[in-house]
Each structure stands twice: as structure tokens, then as C-alpha cells.
Amino acid sequence: MFSGSWVAVVTPFNNNAVDEAALADLVNWHVEKGTNGIVAVGTTGESPTLSHEEHHKVVEICVKAANKRIPVMAGTGSNSTDEAIDLTAHAKKAGADAVLLVNPYYNKPTQEGLYRHYMAIADAVDIPQIVYNIPGRTGGKIETSTMARLATHPNIVGLKDACGDLAYTSEIISRTSSDFSVLSGDDGLTLPMMSIGAKGVISVAANVVPDKIAALTAAALAGDFGAAREIHYSMWDLMNSMFYETNPIPVKTALAMMGRIREEFRLPLCQMGQANRERLQTVMQKCGLLAEEAARA
């Protein structure tokens, strides 16, 4: 199940409320375009600024819209173990197929603390769980030895690896079983990571080019790295443009340019600077993505 292109879907807003209709439309669009799975309320979904009620609602909307056509993974991580357990329990109750658990942030636990944190969640809620290692956001890194210990738990089935270190990725894959899924957490590294055994990506770029990212991962999984490489380079500028400013500012701006959502964020995120907006628009035009806006107008 945990392979291919999983989109870290944005959370659309309308007058500071979750735009439920736009979110459901995005899920339906991803199903049509071949995305393998939806990841709701992750970093790209602006989870830090959602209330618990809104967090629950976004998961429920995605599950309902997907309607078992593709699986839904819910972001349920926290720097509080009890809170992460509560969010994970709700995701299971709502019908999510898996959860994504970001490394505890700010309180900087030891490796033993990380191990106990993830084991407590895995013991408390019987649902497939993907650990999310992103040191640049959390200020801490789960070491390969700790991940190898965690991977023996039947509910801990994979790792979203956003460390940007292929040696780290190789070590994780070498120390875990063949059914353990390592997924790229960085679009630009999806191809190189899949060349050494990663099984796919949790993607930001798939928000705007779902068919392309799905095709790239499908080609790599089939061993056709020539085709995957061609897609990789055709999307290279676009993948980089998604990080001109803090994610998800560029991707939500891009989706608004395409007419799929309103260009709305919650503070402390804000609208894109004009110079970067113009750079993004140029890349979007080169990729033929703004023609879709005209067709929808």
C-alpha cells in the first residue's frame, strides 16, 4: 500500500475557515489524476494552525471524498505523546488507512525518548504508522539505530525521510525488512532515493502536477529509470519553485493561479513576495499549468 505518489494535500481556506468543498474537489482530482494516496493535515496542510476540531474535520473530509478509491493517511504527530495518541485514535475512528507521525519538535527528546514516544503510540492505536523524520523542521533527528528498533513493531510500517542524506536512507533500508516502506520527503530527491530502494514519495509538487509525480514513481518502481529521469528533469524547476518560500506558501499560490483554491493562508504564514510570485508564475507557464486556469475560467 505504501508506495508510489502520495500527495501532502493543502488545506484550502475561505474567509479563514476550512473550505470543505474545495478540499473534496482536490481529493477527487487526485483520484482522477492517478495519485496513489492522500496525506491530510501534514505540514503542507498547515496543521500547526488548525484547531483540533478542524484537524478532525479535514481528515473526515478526505476520507469521505476518497471513498476507498485511494487510501488516506492522516498527520497525527505532536510533541506531546498523549496528544499524538488522541489524534491517531481519531484518525482510525474516522476511517483513515494510516497515520504520519512527525518527530516531536521543540522539546528535543533523547533517542530513548523518541523510541518510547513512537512505541507508546504504536501500542495504543492499531493502525499502520509512518514515522516522519525532518530535522530541519523539528530540531532533532531519529538515528538509524532507533529507527531499526522501531521498525520491528508491526504497526510501524514506514519512514518519511526528509533528511536529505542518501547515506542515511541507505542505512535505514539496509537495516529494515523488505516490506518496510521508506518514502521520500523531498520531491527533488525522490528519484535518487528510489534508485537505492525507497518506494515512493510524500509529495508537495503532486499538489499541482499529480499525474507527473505518479508517472515518475510508477516508472521508478517498474525499474524504468530512464523514463523516471526524463520526468524528474522536466519537473526540476517546478519542484524547486515549491520552496521559493516556506512550504506551503508557493504550492498554495500555484494552486490559486490554477483556479483550484483561494489564495489564503493563516498567520504566521502570509502571501508570497512579489518577486518570488513572478518567478513561480514563469515556471508554471513553462510547465503549461496556467492554461488549465484559462480552461476553468
Side-chain angles (χ1 to χ4, degrees), residues 51 66 68 76 124 148 153 205 213 255-256:
S51 69
K68 299 299 182 183
T76 59
H153 195 293
I213 304 301
L255 284 167

Side-chain angles (χ1 to χ4, degrees), residues 100-171:
L100 179 68
L101 296 158
V102 71
N103 254 13
Y105 41 86
Y106 189 75
N107 42 16
K108 301 182 74 171
T110 64
Q111 291 299 304
E112 182 62 23
L114 287 172
Y115 174 76
R116 295 186 188 188
H117 168 81
Y118 284 115
M119 289 295 286
I121 303 166
D123 286 342
V125 188
D126 185 16
I127 189 172
Q129 300 175 18
I130 306 287
V131 173
Y132 183 11
N133 198 12
I134 182 166
R137 289 263 186 180
T138 63
K141 180 178 181 179
I142 188 164
E143 301 295 343
T144 54
S145 57
T146 305
M147 195 65 242
R149 291 173 70 195
L150 290 170
T152 62
H153 195 293
N155 286 337
I156 299 176
V157 299
L159 171 70
K160 179 183 178 183
D161 177 4
C163 291
D165 180 353
L166 292 178
Y168 177 90
T169 307
S170 296
E171 184 69 13

Side-chain angles (χ1 to χ4, degrees), residues 202-262:
I202 295 178
S203 171
V204 175
N207 277 283
V208 293
V209 283
D211 51 344
K212 298 292 187 182
I213 304 301
L216 188 158
T217 57
L221 287 169
D224 188 352
F225 285 98
R229 185 165 55 247
E230 184 176 347
I231 299 168
H232 169 83
Y233 282 113
S234 73
M235 292 293 106
W236 181 250
D237 288 343
L238 181 68
M239 290 188 288
N240 287 332
S241 76
M242 295 295 98
F243 297 91
Y244 284 166
E245 294 184 10
T246 303
N247 179 45
I249 293 172
V251 70
K252 291 190 85 174
T253 304
L255 284 167
M257 288 178 182
M258 295 168 67
R260 293 207 164 268
I261 65 171
R262 290 167 58 96

Side-chain angles (χ1 to χ4, degrees), residues 42-63:
T43 306
T44 309
E46 290 177 85
S47 57
T49 60
L50 297 181
S51 69
H52 282 186
E53 181 181 357
E54 290 172 325
H55 189 289
H56 293 167
K57 177 60 70 175
V58 169
V59 174
E60 291 162 5
I61 292 166
C62 289
V63 169

